[in-house]
Every structure is written in C-alpha cells, then in structure tokens.
Amino acid sequence: MNAPSRIVLVGFMGAGKSHVGRLVSRSLGWAFYDFDREIERTAGRTISEIFEADGEATFREIEASVGERLLGMERSVLSTGGGWGATPGWDERLPPDTLSIWLRVSPEVAVSRAGRDRPLLEVADPIERARELLQARIPYYRKARMTLDSDRWSPAELADQIVSSVRDR
Ligand code: S3P
C-alpha cells in the first residue's frame, strides 16, 4: 500500500490500543480518536451504563455508527473497542488508505491489564471468559494488515514500530 493516511488499531481488551494509539498520534502529529470515549461522549453515558441499561446489542449499534463516522477522519489514529475488530467484514469497510494493525495479547495479560469498565469481563472467571472470546475473535482480528505482539513489547516500543512502518511506506 502507499503511505497510509489513517491507522486503525484492533485487538482484545487490555492490548494497549488506546495507550499505543495516543503515542503514535503524537509522533506523527495526527489526530487521535478512541472509539470507547467517542461512544461515551455521543451517548452521554459510560460504557458500563450503556451495557447495564440497554444491553450489549444497543452498545454494538452505537459502536457501529460511531465507528463509521470516525473512519472518515484523515491523518488520524483510531483505537477501536475490542468488539469492533471482531465484527464480520470490518476490514472491508476500511477506506483504502488505512493501515490496520492487530495488537495481539494473551488472555492472562489482557485480564491483568484491563481495569474498570469492562462489563464483558465482570464474571467469576475472567481469564476463561477472555479465552473464549479471543478464540471466537482471532479469525477476525487476523484480517488486519499487520500484527504486533503486545505481551512482548511496551506501548512505547509498539508505537515506535508502527511509526517506522508508516514512515517506510
Ligand atoms: C469490548 C471492549 C471495550 C468496550 C466494551 C466491549 C469488547 O473496549 O468497547 O467494553 O467487546 O471487547 P476496549 O477494548 O477498549 O477495552
């Protein structure tokens, strides 16, 4: 692909999408958008409140429409929510000048990092839950053009690798 004008980070909760995305946007001087924060701003409620009051299906509808709007932004880094990159056809909806990156994380590391406000992990055995969700989602996350191992690299190292890959194209 030619030089991208947009980076989309996908991957499971706790992969570091927001942290890494912010660092990359600063290095490139591009705008940064975090799907979850934009959803909260649009809905005027937290993610947990939306899940609790309206359920996951409504959350996914809001997420899909916020995602569609954000994908129109140029010179931007987009950190998606963990479920967005697991929806069938997400990669086909990307504008052509988009570099998509899967930040891969293990269930153990994901659960140890994912803090508050993750309704899907508020269960008796969050690691088991993360395993199940990941197993179902990996075939979709895999559609990203590039994969980086978030268990192995720090957010700063991941951001450096992404910035170099954008500058090399
Ligand atoms: C979700 C991930 C969360 C948030 C919501 C659902 C998921 O985003 O969108 O809790 O389905 O994996 P992060 O991946 O930013 O934690």
Side-chain angles (χ1 to χ4, degrees), residues 12-13 106-108 110-111 120-121 123 125-136:
F12 201 65
M13 294 171 263
S106 64
E108 292 76 13
V111 168
L120 292 179
L121 296 179
V123 293
D125 188 345
I127 293 187
E128 187 51 33
R129 182 67 181 280
R131 264 191 210 119
E132 290 163 7
L133 283 169
L134 262 171
Q135 203 182 6

Side-chain angles (χ1 to χ4, degrees), residues 95-161:
D97 52 351
T98 304
L99 173 61
S100 54
I101 302 171
W102 172 25
L103 295 185
R104 189 170 49 196
V105 69
S106 64
E108 292 76 13
V109 172
V111 168
S112 75
R113 285 190 196 152
R116 298 174 302 111
D117 213 23
R118 262 50 173 232
L120 292 179
L121 296 179
E122 284 165 12
V123 293
D125 188 345
I127 293 187
E128 187 51 33
R129 182 67 181 280
R131 264 191 210 119
E132 290 163 7
L133 283 169
L134 262 171
Q135 203 182 6
R137 290 177 173 189
I138 282 173
Y140 299 102
Y141 293 153
R142 264 210 190 109
K143 306 265 179 187
R145 279 177 187 269
M146 193 173 147
T147 299
L148 293 172
D149 189 348
S150 158
D151 279 8
R152 172 157 175 221
W153 306 103
S154 70
E157 288 166 331
L158 291 164
D160 281 350
Q161 293 174 46

Side-chain angles (χ1 to χ4, degrees), residues 74-87:
E74 302 223 326
R75 290 172 64 81
S76 63
V77 180
L78 310 183
S79 291
T80 65
W84 189 85
T87 50

Side-chain angles (χ1 to χ4, degrees), residues 12-69:
F12 201 65
M13 294 171 263
K17 302 181 294 291
S18 304
H19 190 163
V20 172
R22 199 177 288 282
L23 296 176
V24 171
S25 74
R26 268 191 219 139
S27 284
L28 293 175
W30 289 6
F32 172 69
Y33 298 97
D34 183 301
F35 276 36
D36 287 349
R37 299 293 83 75
E38 292 293 322
I39 290 167
E40 290 181 333
R41 231 164 41 86
T42 305
R45 292 179 291 165
T46 65
I47 305 281
S48 292
E49 283 167 350
I50 302 170
F51 265 81
E52 235 169 77
D54 300 328
E56 183 174 349
T58 300
F59 172 80
R60 297 297 172 202
E61 282 169 22
I62 305 173
E63 182 179 48
S65 78
V66 166
E68 204 177 301
R69 174 169 62 81

